[in-house]
Amino acid sequence: MTARIIKRAAALGVIAAMGAGAALADYDDDELVIDGVKIATKVPAPPGHPLPEIVSGWRFRSDETQALEADDFENPAMVAVDYGQSLWDAVDGEAGKSCASCHGDVEESMKGVRAGYPKWNEKAGRPFTLENQINACRTENMKAEPWKWESREMLAMTALVGKQARGYPMKIQKDGPMAEWIEKGKELYYTRFGQLDLACSNCHEDNYGKMIRADHLSQGHINGFPTYRFKWQGLGSLHRRFKGCMENIRAEPFKRGSDEFVALEAYLAVRGEGLGIETPAVRN
């Protein structure tokens, strides 16, 4: 059998698994409330949106997984949030500063901040993810070494900052210089990659609510990242999830922090606009 035939057969097998014979496991109507904060997990889709309604991945999870996220005492990612708080207060770098030196109380200064990222950075001439902004603060203001994208420190800090936006609706700038990046992300979302010849849309737009092997397909929104996944046995970034999806379809993944993944993040932020931030979410 030639490589082309093998590739085609694999792709057809995946598509068949997501087709009419796939088991349906649609989302539920439960409401997410964390520490008294009600978080929007389903919002109407605006005119022209590719989805009939916008639904968080939380609603596609089992009752047991939902319960873990709804209780900070049980949420396994809260250990990282606590570590992030210690990093926030710790002096680091040649400038002798901590995050708190400039920003004060994280609960006040970072309130709602995560909901607006990715965000255009005029000095850099490109969109900044939250990770980009954290490292810019470290290198420029604290004169400290940048953190690696998937480091324990970066995940803890993004979880801490993200938590301060719980319940705030995702809403990023869509006009001006951001428009080109969002359009680039949209193009990537609908582009087929890898040996399985699949695009993001094939799973998260065409087949959400279905089971593919042991995975329950959601609409693929990003309002809970960084997210604790049972598969990872820990916290992971959004770009780690992107990379994993590309590897699953046998494609060569882009790097974390690449222009491609930043553009895709921007498009998905627009695609899920109105959903409440859940950080740190819990998923399978």
Side-chain angles (χ1 to χ4, degrees):
M1 186 179 288
T2 67
R4 181 182 295 274
I5 294 174
I6 293 172
K7 170 183 171 181
R8 183 64 176 166
L12 288 172
V14 171
I15 293 169
M18 296 190 295
L24 284 172
D26 212 352
Y27 63 86
D28 60 32
D29 290 323
D30 293 343
E31 297 289 346
L32 177 58
V33 180
I34 307 177
D35 198 20
V37 177
K38 185 176 180 180
I39 299 173
T41 55
K42 184 172 75 170
V43 296
H49 197 283
L51 297 169
E53 56 189 352
I54 304 170
V55 184
S56 167
W58 181 82
R59 291 207 179 203
F60 292 84
R61 305 277 66 86
S62 68
D63 289 345
E64 293 79 8
T65 302
Q66 288 180 338
L68 286 175
E69 184 178 326
D71 185 347
D72 277 346
F73 189 76
E74 298 290 341
N75 188 332
M78 291 305 295
V79 174
V81 173
D82 291 342
Y83 180 46
Q85 181 66 67
S86 69
L87 293 170
W88 180 269
D89 296 325
V91 172
D92 193 13
E94 295 178 3
K97 294 180 179 181
S98 66
C99 301
S101 300
C102 293
H103 299 289
D105 184 354
V106 67
E107 293 185 3
E108 292 299 322
S109 62
M110 295 294 112
K111 189 178 293 184
V113 167
R114 174 68 183 89
Y117 277 87
K119 186 176 184 178
W120 185 257
N121 184 285
E122 193 65 38
K123 183 177 179 181
R126 55 171 289 130
F128 263 18
T129 65
L130 186 56
E131 290 89 348
N132 293 142
Q133 185 58 59
I134 288 168
N135 270 341
C137 283
R138 287 185 57 78
T139 57
E140 296 172 17
N141 300 330
M142 299 170 68
K143 307 302 178 186
E145 290 296 317
W147 287 327
K148 293 184 178 180
W149 200 276
E150 212 68 34
S151 66
R152 180 178 176 231
E153 292 79 10
M154 181 64 82
L155 291 171
M157 187 59 72
T158 53
L160 173 70
V161 173
K163 181 177 177 291
Q164 313 316 315
R166 270 186 181 168
Y168 282 79
M170 287 200 304
K171 186 176 177 62
I172 70 166
Q173 178 190 350
K174 299 190 287 290
D175 57 3
M178 285 295 294
E180 180 180 349
W181 285 77
I182 291 167
E183 188 61 31
K184 179 180 178 180
K186 181 179 180 180
E187 180 181 345
L188 285 168
Y189 189 86
Y190 289 100
T191 297
R192 292 175 179 268
F193 289 97
Q195 291 182 346
L196 299 191
D197 196 35
L198 293 172
C200 307
S201 59
N202 293 132
C203 287
H204 300 297
E205 185 172 315
D206 301 338
N207 289 287
Y208 68 87
K210 296 178 181 178
M211 299 294 292
I212 175 171
R213 295 181 178 172
D215 194 12
H216 190 187
L217 293 172
S218 71
Q219 292 182 346
H221 296 300
I222 64 173
N223 54 312
F225 282 89
T227 290
Y228 186 99
R229 292 191 72 207
F230 298 131
K231 180 179 179 179
W232 296 336
Q233 288 293 292
L235 204 61
S237 73
L238 174 61
H239 290 201
R240 178 180 179 180
R241 190 71 184 99
F242 288 163
K243 182 174 180 289
C245 283
M246 293 194 75
E247 289 170 343
N248 287 342
I249 60 172
R250 309 299 185 262
E252 183 68 29
F254 302 113
K255 293 182 178 180
R256 296 176 179 91
S258 64
D259 286 357
E260 290 83 3
F261 278 172
V262 171
L264 185 58
E265 180 175 347
Y267 173 63
L268 288 177
V270 172
R271 191 180 175 91
E273 186 173 299
L275 289 178
I277 295 294
E278 299 174 25
T279 307
V282 180
R283 300 288 189 262
N284 293 352

